[in-house]
Amino acid sequence: MAQAIHSEIQAVVDNAALLSERTAFFRKTRRGHVVKVVEESYLRTDLGLGSRNGQTMTREDMALSTGLSWIVPDTNVVLHQMDFLENSGCSALDSIVILETVADEVRHNNLSVHRRLLRLLGHEGRKVIWFANEHCQDTHVRRRPGESPNDWNDRAIRVACSWFASQLSGAAEVAMLSDDRLNRAACQGGHKALSVGAFARSLEAEHPGVGDLVADFSDDAPASLQPQGQPQGQRGGQRGGSRLSGPGAAARESLYPEYLGKEQVEQRLMSGSLFKGTLRVRHGGRWDDAYVVVQSGSERVSVGVAGERVNRATEGDIVAVEILPRSEWTNPSEDKPKVPEDEEETEAGICEATSAPRPGDLESLAPGPRKRSDSKKPEEPTGRVVAVLRRNWKSLCGSILMESDESRPAKGGHASVLVSPVDKKIPRIKIQTRQLESLVGKRIIVAIDSWPCDSRYPKGHYVSTLGNIGEKSVETAVLLLEHDIPTGDFSGEVLACLPPEGWSITEENMVGRRDLRHLPVMSIDPPGCRDIDDALHWRQLPSSDNWEVGIHIADVTYYVEPGSPLDLEAANRSTSTYLVDRRLDMLPKMLTEKLCSLVGHQDRFAFSVILEVTPDGQIVDADFCKSVIHSIGAHTYGEAQEMLDDPNHPEKVKAEAVLKLNHLAKIFRRRRMEAGALTLASPEVRFVLDTETQNPLDVAMYALKETNALVEEFMLLANITVGKKILRHFPTLSLLRRHPAPNKAQFTPLVSAANAVGVDIRIGDSRELADSLDAAVRLDDEYFNKLLRIMCTRCMAPAQYFSSGEQAPEDWHHYGLATPIYTHFTSPIRRYADVVVHRLLCAAIGVAPLPPQLMDKSGLHELAENMNRRHRAAQLAGRASVGLHTQLYFKARPAVDEPAYVMSVMREKVVVLVPRFGIEGTIWLKADVEGGRVSYDAEAHTVVVDRGAQGARVTVKVFEAVKVHISVQTAKADGKPSLKVLMTQPPLGDQPSDDPSALTGAVISKRKGREGEGGSGAEKKQKDKK
C-alpha cells in the first residue's frame, strides 16, 4: 500500500502538470542555524476524488446510503484514535478519506501509527480513500504570512472537506472529525464537523461499546491540567488533555507537579541542570521504583527515581530528570516505595538476564554534603522527573480489577474501572466502559491516552478482548502481544518471492558453486528439529596427515534477495521465536523446513567453511565457498552420543567422524577455557507435551550430552573465523557481536553471598572469574556450582549486535567467550543477523557485491538496534511461555513438595530456585511473629525466625538446600491463577498468603544458544552461545 501511495505522488511529478507553485521559507535547525527551504508543488486537475488501492474514485464510486457519511479525520484524530478508526465492526466507520496532509503529519509524528494508517488504507473490506489534496489544484492551500504550520495544515484539511462536500452533494455527506474546538468552529462549506466523542455517542444505539474505543483525548480539559512541554511534531502535535470537565473540575487537587515547559527544559538540558535519559523500572520492582541512566561527561550513571518523583512517567519514556541534593541520595535497596496492600505483586514475572545498573558516584552530579550512610552500601544519585520528552505508550494486555476503590459500578451506562496490566512495570490504567459485565474475568487490550496531574492513575480506553483469563491460548496471545512478537501470516507479496512449488537444485542453478556432495556431511540436532541450519563433515586428507573439517550452513541468501519484500519482512521479524509448544518463524516454512533445511539424503545449497586442521587442533588453512552438499544423515544428539559411546557402532563412517570431531572439540574448548571463556548456566527445563492438546504432561531439568558441546564448539569456531574474515574486508561495515565486561559493582551481591559461605569469587578478569567458579565445588552438593553459575550469568549485561564502524576496536571484545572478534553466521534460517553476515562474507570472497543497504552506516545501526530489540523480546517471550506451561502443569495436579536452593535472603523475603522446574519463588516473611521476632544479618546473608516460646529458632542462609511446597492460587482481584511457594523445611511457620510469590519462568530448554537462540516445540540446539 505504501508503494502505491508513493507511486501516485511520483506520477504527479512525472506527468504533465497544469500548474507549478514554489514556496520559500526559513527555518532554524537543531544546531541553531537558519536555512532557507524552497518547496515546489505540482498541481493537477485529474486526480478525481482520490484513489482506493490504486483505482481512481469517481462521484458514483463514492455514493453512500442515507445516514452514512464520508469521514475525514484530522491529524490528531489519526494520531490518537486509531483504535476507533480501525474498528471494522461499525458500518459508519467503513467510509474514510485520508488526506495527504494528514498522512504526512502522522508520518513526521509517529511512524508506528503511520504504519497502522497504511494498513488501514489497504483494508480490502472497507472503503478507505487516499486523496493527494496538496497536489490537487482545487484543494492546494498556500501558507499565509505569519501562519503557523499547525494552523496551515488545519486550514488545508478544512478546505479539502469543503471541496469533497461540494463534489459529493446529493450523493453522500461529509463529516470532518476533529477534537479541536477551534478547528471545528472554523469549518465552512456544507459539511459536518464533529468531535470523536460526539460521533461515537451517535453510534452507541446501533453499536454498543463503540465508545469504549475512544481515546481519552479531548479539548474540554482545563488548560491548567494539560501537561506542559508535551512534545509536538513540526507538522502538528497533540492538543488534548483528559476528559475532565464539569463544575469544580479545575479545582481538583494535583497529585503530581506539572511538567516544565519545552523551552525551559531545552535550556536546562543545555546548561547541565537537567539530564536526559530513558526511564527503566528496576527488576522485580513496581512501576514507581525506577532509575534513569544519564550521561554526564564521559560517565554513565544510574539515577534513582521512586514514588511520586516518577511524576507520571512510565517504563521506556524518555524523560528529563533533575538531580536532587546529595543529602537526599539513598541506597537503592532502602529507597523502595511501600507497596499498598491492593497493589501487591500477584503474577509471575520474567527472569531477567541482567540486573539494573548499579549505583555510580559522579562528583559533578550534585553539590552539597554527603548524607551519612553505611560505607559498604553505595549511594545512588536520586532525582525526579520534571518532563516527559517522548512517551513509550503502546497497547497493553491486562484485566479489570473489581476490588478497588477506583473501580466504580456502571452509572449512566458507564463504569469507571481499573485495569491491571500483565506487565507490572506499567501502572494500573483507568478506563470507562459500557460493557463491564462482559469484560470481567477476561484478558483485554487497553491503551493509555493521558495522565493528568490530578489523577492517581493514567487514563486510557478499551481496545479489544482476547478471551478468558488463564486459558492457554489466551495467555499465549497475551505474552506474544506483550513482547511485540510478530504473529501475522506472511503476506502474498512476501510469498510471491519464494521459488515455485516443485523447485529443485539442477546443474544450471548450481553453476558457480563447489560440488561437495561426495563428502560425508551429517547434522546433529535435537529430536524433531525441522529447521536444520548446520551440518559438519570430517575426513582424512589424502595428501597429508592433516584432517579436513567442514562447517556447512544453510544458504538462505540464495532465496532471499536483498531489498525484496521477503528480505524486508525477515529484517523486521529479525529472529524466530520459540515457545514451548510452537515456533514463530522469521521466514516462510517453504524455506525453514524444506528448501533451506539441511535434511538428510537431499541436495541442499550451503555456505561452507572448510578448515584444514592438524590432529592436535592447529588450524592450518580456512577456505570459504558457496557449495552444494548432500547430507548422509540428520541425527539427534542422542544418536550421535551412541556413536561416541559404542566403539562397535555399525555406521562406521559416521561414528569415526563423530569421534574425530569430538576429539577436536575438546581441544578447542580447553583452549577457550584457558583464554578465559566462561561456562555459565541457566535453569533450563524440558517439557513433555500431550500430542493432541499440547498441554504439559511432565517437566524436568534439561540434560546436556557431550555431543551438545561438540556441535557448539564448531559453531563458535565458524562464527569467530567468519567474523575475522569479514572484518578484514569491511573494517567499518561488519556486523559483529560484542559482550562488554561487566561492571564489578554488578557482582557485589554475588561476591558477598559467596563469601558468606566460604567461597571466594574473583572478578579481576574473565580468566579469574572462570577459575574461581571452577574451584567453587561442594563434594556433597553437585548443584551448588551450577547455582553459582546461574547467578553469575545474571550479573552480566547481554551481548549486543553492532556495526564495527560504531565502536572502537577495544570495545569489540566478547567477554563471555574471551575472543576479540565474534559474529553470528551459523543460523541464518532463524536469525537475520546471520543473513547479513552471509552477504558480507559473499562480498568478501568475491561471489556477489555488497548490497547498497549494507553500505549505509546509519542503516546498519538501525538493523542492529532492531536485532537487539527483537532478540531480547524473543528471549522473554520464550521464558514467559515456560512460566505459563509450568503453571498449567501444576494447575492440573495436586500441590507438590520439592527440593530448592536459597538464592538470596533479605529482611522481608527469601528467594528460592526449584531446580526440577527451573522456577524461582519468593517466600515472604512476617516482620513479627507471635511471641518472637525476625532478624536479618546482611553480612552473613541469613535471616533468623525466632518464635520464642511458641516454637524453635529457624535460620535460613543463602545457598542452603531447603524444601518448598508449590501450589496454584487464584488472585482475588482479577481471577488470574499463579504459583505459590511456601517453605516447609526448615519450617518457617505462617507465611503471608496475601504477599504472593513472584515466580519467574525458566529459560526454555529447547535452545540453540544461551541467549534464547534455537529450537521448536521439540528440543532445540545448544549451539553458538552468546
Side-chain angles (χ1 to χ4, degrees):
M1 188 64 219
Q3 291 179 344
I5 293 172
H6 293 315
S7 297
E8 181 175 338
I9 295 175
Q10 188 62 42
V12 170
V13 178
D14 293 341
N15 294 300
L18 294 179
L19 180 65
S20 174
E21 282 200 0
R22 179 171 295 187
T23 305
F25 58 92
F26 295 90
R27 70 177 181 87
K28 182 183 289 187
T29 67
R30 291 182 178 180
R31 296 187 176 183
H33 302 299
V34 176
V35 297
K36 182 178 181 180
V37 179
V38 179
E39 292 183 348
E40 192 170 31
S41 300
Y42 293 87
L43 307 181
R44 302 184 56 147
T45 59
D46 57 351
L47 297 179
L49 295 175
S51 67
R52 180 186 177 214
N53 292 333
Q55 179 182 352
T56 302
M57 302 295 289
T58 65
R59 174 184 167 89
E60 290 71 25
D61 295 328
M62 298 186 68
L64 296 177
S65 304
T66 304
L68 297 178
S69 303
W70 282 99
I71 303 303
V72 185
D74 72 2
T75 302
N76 285 294
V77 169
V78 174
L79 282 171
H80 305 304
Q81 305 290 354
M82 276 301 291
D83 292 324
F84 178 71
L85 296 176
E86 288 173 331
N87 180 25
S88 58
C90 179
S91 58
L93 287 170
D94 282 346
S95 305
I96 303 175
V97 176
I98 302 297
L99 300 178
E100 179 185 357
T101 297
V102 171
D104 282 351
E105 283 193 278
V106 170
R107 180 168 56 86
H108 288 133
N109 277 272
N110 192 317
L111 287 175
S112 176
V113 174
H114 186 256
R115 286 192 290 268
R116 293 172 66 183
L117 180 63
L118 294 180
R119 288 196 294 269
L120 181 63
L121 282 162
H123 198 290
E124 294 291 341
R126 302 171 67 183
K127 293 182 178 179
V128 184
I129 309 302
W130 161 268
F131 182 61
N133 64 301
E134 295 185 5
H135 291 87
C136 176
Q137 183 175 345
D138 295 324
T139 57
H140 177 76
V141 173
R142 295 190 65 180
R143 186 174 176 180
R144 295 168 178 166
E147 189 174 34
S148 71
N150 286 342
D151 290 340
W152 178 29
N153 292 320
D154 284 346
R155 186 163 58 89
I157 294 169
R158 295 194 300 269
V159 168
C161 287
S162 297
W163 182 80
F164 264 101
S166 66
Q167 296 296 307
L168 296 177
S169 179
E173 293 186 343
V174 175
M176 183 184 78
L177 287 189
S178 175
D179 282 333
D180 186 330
R181 275 192 306 236
L182 298 178
N183 195 22
R184 296 197 302 267
C187 285
Q188 301 174 1
H191 65 274
K192 296 181 289 186
L194 303 170
S195 69
V196 177
F199 181 57
R201 287 191 292 272
S202 71
L203 306 176
E204 282 281 1
E206 293 186 17
H207 303 280
V210 71
D212 289 3
L213 298 171
V214 177
D216 197 2
F217 283 95
S218 167
D219 55 2
D220 297 328
S224 62
L225 295 182
Q226 295 181 15
Q228 300 179 30
Q230 196 83 14
Q232 295 191 7
Q234 190 176 12
R235 303 192 58 178
Q238 175 180 317
R239 304 174 208 165
S242 69
R243 286 178 179 159
L244 183 63
S245 60
R252 288 182 59 178
E253 179 183 358
S254 291
L255 302 176
Y256 299 97
E258 293 188 3
Y259 294 139
L260 299 181
K262 182 178 180 180
E263 292 186 2
Q264 187 177 2
V265 169
E266 290 178 348
Q267 290 172 358
R268 294 188 60 184
L269 284 172
M270 293 181 65
S271 68
S273 61
L274 292 181
F275 295 86
K276 175 181 175 181
T278 301
L279 186 105
R280 295 297 181 193
V281 175
R282 299 187 194 277
H283 173 47
R286 277 178 10 115
W287 63 269
D288 57 353
D289 180 17
Y291 64 92
V292 180
V293 177
V294 302
Q295 188 84 32
S296 181
S298 60
E299 298 191 66
R300 296 177 74 248
V301 178
S302 173
V303 177
V305 184
E308 65 180 14
R309 293 168 179 167
V310 175
N311 193 10
R312 298 169 287 152
T314 57
E315 167 73 16
D317 286 352
I318 297 177
V319 299
V321 176
E322 180 181 49
I323 307 300
L324 298 176
R326 193 183 292 272
S327 59
E328 297 187 45
W329 291 9
T330 59
N331 181 291
S333 62
E334 298 175 349
D335 192 37
K336 294 185 178 181
K338 181 174 175 57
V339 181
E341 290 184 3
D342 67 333
E343 292 195 21
E344 287 163 346
E345 182 70 50
T346 60
E347 298 190 6
I350 293 174
C351 169
E352 295 284 356
T354 63
S355 58
R358 292 285 167 185
D361 184 8
L362 195 63
E363 294 300 325
S364 62
L365 271 181
R370 182 184 299 274
K371 176 180 173 181
R372 292 188 62 185
S373 65
D374 185 347
S375 60
K376 294 184 180 180
K377 297 179 180 180
E379 286 182 325
E380 178 181 56
T382 304
R384 57 170 166 252
V385 173
V386 297
V388 176
L389 307 179
R390 185 187 303 166
R391 288 290 190 186
N392 188 44
W393 289 346
K394 60 180 182 179
S395 294
L396 300 158
C397 301
S399 50
I400 289 178
L401 293 175
M402 292 306 298
E403 297 184 359
S404 170
D405 294 338
E406 296 285 341
S407 296
R408 295 193 297 274
K411 188 176 183 180
H414 280 91
S416 179
V417 296
L418 285 180
V419 173
S420 174
V422 171
D423 185 355
K424 293 307 175 184
K425 295 178 181 178
I426 305 297
R428 293 173 176 179
I429 304 161
K430 183 182 290 186
I431 69 168
Q432 292 187 354
T433 178
R434 288 177 176 267
Q435 43 187 336
L436 178 60
E437 291 184 3
S438 64
L439 297 184
V440 173
K442 306 287 187 182
R443 283 294 191 202
I444 63 174
I445 298 177
V446 298
I448 300 177
D449 302 325
S450 63
W451 196 343
C453 55
D454 66 339
S455 175
R456 183 182 179 191
Y457 300 103
K459 296 185 177 183
H461 69 275
Y462 163 84
V463 176
S464 63
T465 300
L466 293 175
N468 295 325
I469 292 175
E471 289 185 2
K472 178 182 173 182
S473 60
V474 174
E475 297 300 332
T476 299
V478 167
L479 70 89
L480 291 172
L481 283 166
E482 282 296 300
H483 297 101
D484 192 26
I485 304 297
T487 59
D489 295 333
F490 290 99
S491 68
E493 195 178 24
V494 169
L495 296 177
C497 299
L498 299 175
E501 284 290 339
W503 183 93
S504 64
I505 293 176
T506 64
E507 293 297 326
E508 289 74 21
N509 58 35
M510 64 177 284
V511 171
R513 290 180 177 271
R514 192 178 301 178
D515 191 344
L516 303 180
R517 287 177 290 185
H518 61 287
L519 296 177
V521 175
M522 60 185 292
S523 61
I524 305 174
D525 293 280
C529 182
R530 296 181 179 180
D531 54 339
I532 303 174
D533 294 280
D534 52 83
L536 301 169
H537 90 261
W538 170 92
R539 70 168 178 166
Q540 175 73 56
L541 288 174
S543 58
S544 72
D545 295 331
N546 293 342
W547 298 345
E548 180 182 89
V549 173
I551 305 161
H552 309 277
I553 308 301
D555 188 7
V556 171
T557 54
Y558 175 82
Y559 305 95
V560 182
E561 287 290 329
S564 67
L566 175 59
D567 183 47
L568 296 177
E569 179 66 23
N572 176 51
R573 298 192 180 207
S574 194
T575 182
S576 294
T577 301
Y578 295 88
L579 307 184
V580 170
D581 60 343
R582 73 185 70 175
R583 184 185 75 227
L584 293 97
D585 290 321
M586 181 183 79
L587 295 167
K589 276 189 168 51
M590 178 185 239
L591 297 183
T592 61
E593 295 186 3
K594 296 180 181 179
L595 298 182
C596 292
S597 185
L598 305 183
V599 296
H601 311 293
Q602 296 286 334
D603 290 351
R604 288 291 184 264
F605 285 160
F607 211 149
S608 299
V609 179
I610 311 296
L611 303 174
E612 182 179 347
V613 189
T614 63
D616 61 352
Q618 299 299 322
I619 298 176
V620 177
D621 190 25
D623 191 17
F624 310 88
C625 65
K626 290 282 187 120
S627 63
V628 56
I629 64 172
H630 185 95
S631 173
I632 61 173
H635 294 280
T636 66
Y637 289 124
E639 291 169 347
Q641 189 65 43
E642 290 177 4
M643 297 178 192
L644 277 182
D645 298 337
D646 183 3
N648 300 313
H649 196 279
E651 297 190 77
K652 296 191 179 299
V653 172
K654 296 178 182 178
E656 183 183 16
V658 172
L659 283 167
K660 300 300 186 184
L661 290 170
N662 192 54
H663 167 78
L664 291 173
K666 289 180 177 179
I667 294 174
F668 296 151
R669 181 175 180 82
R670 186 183 69 248
R671 288 178 186 160
R672 286 198 306 109
M673 296 301 108
E674 291 171 351
L678 298 173
T679 301
L680 301 177
S682 56
E684 299 182 354
V685 295
R686 177 181 179 273
F687 286 90
V688 178
L689 302 180
D690 186 287
T691 54
E692 293 184 3
T693 65
Q694 292 294 292
N695 287 329
L697 298 176
D698 196 10
V699 57
M701 288 185 287
Y702 182 66
L704 294 176
K705 295 179 171 61
E706 195 174 358
T707 47
N708 290 78
L710 181 160
V711 175
E712 178 190 10
E713 285 305 318
F714 284 100
M715 297 305 106
L716 293 174
L717 179 60
N719 288 332
I720 293 170
T721 305
V722 169
K724 293 177 180 178
K725 176 68 174 178
I726 62 174
L727 193 60
R728 282 196 296 270
H729 291 264
F730 304 105
T732 62
L733 296 174
S734 291
L735 182 69
L736 303 177
R737 191 156 173 83
R738 62 189 288 265
H739 185 214
N743 187 324
K744 292 183 179 180
Q746 292 177 296
F747 275 89
T748 300
L750 174 60
V751 171
S752 175
N755 286 339
V757 295
V759 173
D760 182 23
I761 300 294
R762 301 182 303 279
I763 55 175
D765 55 32
S766 63
R767 177 64 185 272
E768 266 197 9
L769 177 59
D771 289 344
S772 60
L773 287 173
D774 289 341
V777 176
R778 286 180 174 175
L779 297 179
D780 60 340
D781 189 349
E782 292 183 1
Y783 197 79
F784 172 72
N785 186 262
K786 182 174 181 179
L787 182 60
L788 273 178
R789 295 179 190 274
I790 290 171
M791 296 173 68
C792 183
T793 303
R794 299 177 187 181
C795 298
M796 299 182 189
Q800 299 282 315
Y801 295 110
F802 71 101
S803 170
S804 57
E806 291 186 315
Q807 300 283 345
E810 57 267 24
D811 294 327
W812 296 349
H813 190 82
H814 197 293
Y815 178 83
L817 296 175
T819 179
I821 305 296
Y822 191 67
T823 192
H824 272 164
F825 166 76
T826 55
S827 297
I829 291 178
R830 60 187 176 86
R831 285 191 309 231
Y832 191 75
D834 303 60
V835 173
V836 172
V837 171
H838 275 228
R839 289 173 178 157
L840 286 163
L841 183 59
C842 225
I845 64 176
V847 171
L850 191 64
Q853 51 266 51
L854 297 186
M855 300 181 190
D856 178 12
K857 290 185 179 180
S858 63
L860 268 176
H861 171 79
E862 291 177 3
L863 265 179
E865 287 295 304
N866 186 61
M867 290 170 190
N868 291 325
R869 181 176 63 86
R870 291 290 196 193
H871 178 81
R872 180 64 175 159
Q875 272 189 310
L876 297 180
R879 293 174 185 175
S881 179
V882 171
L884 171 61
H885 281 77
T886 304
Q887 182 191 107
L888 292 172
Y889 174 81
F890 282 105
K891 186 177 180 181
R893 288 161 182 77
V896 299
D897 293 299
E898 283 290 331
Y901 286 84
V902 176
M903 296 187 73
S904 65
V905 175
M906 297 176 215
R907 187 180 304 279
E908 74 285 354
K909 63 184 179 180
V910 175
V911 178
V912 298
L913 172 67
V914 185
R916 180 188 169 189
F917 302 110
I919 55 177
E920 293 170 37
T922 301
I923 296 163
W924 298 91
L925 305 173
K926 287 185 177 180
D928 297 297
V929 293
E930 186 176 353
R933 64 188 181 88
V934 174
S935 58
Y936 169 62
D937 187 333
E939 187 171 345
H941 289 264
T942 60
V943 63
V944 179
V945 179
D946 188 353
R947 302 183 62 82
Q950 303 298 319
R953 176 187 174 98
V954 175
T955 300
V956 178
K957 190 176 183 68
V958 69
F959 298 121
E960 183 179 4
V962 298
K963 282 193 175 181
V964 296
H965 182 78
I966 307 173
S967 60
V968 175
Q969 66 175 12
T970 301
K972 295 179 181 179
D974 60 5
K976 171 72 168 63
S978 61
L979 293 179
K980 175 71 177 178
V981 174
L982 297 174
M983 188 179 295
T984 58
Q985 188 65 39
L988 289 182
D990 293 336
Q991 296 162 44
S993 59
D994 55 348
D995 275 326
S997 58
L999 282 176
T1000 64
V1003 180
I1004 189 167
S1005 66
K1006 302 119 184 140
R1007 185 165 320 288
K1008 287 187 179 178
R1010 184 160 291 131
E1011 296 178 350
E1013 306 165 45
S1016 66
E1019 297 178 357
K1020 295 186 290 185
K1021 306 175 189 177
Q1022 188 79 4
K1023 301 182 181 177
D1024 31 312
K1025 299 179 182 178
K1026 295 294 181 185

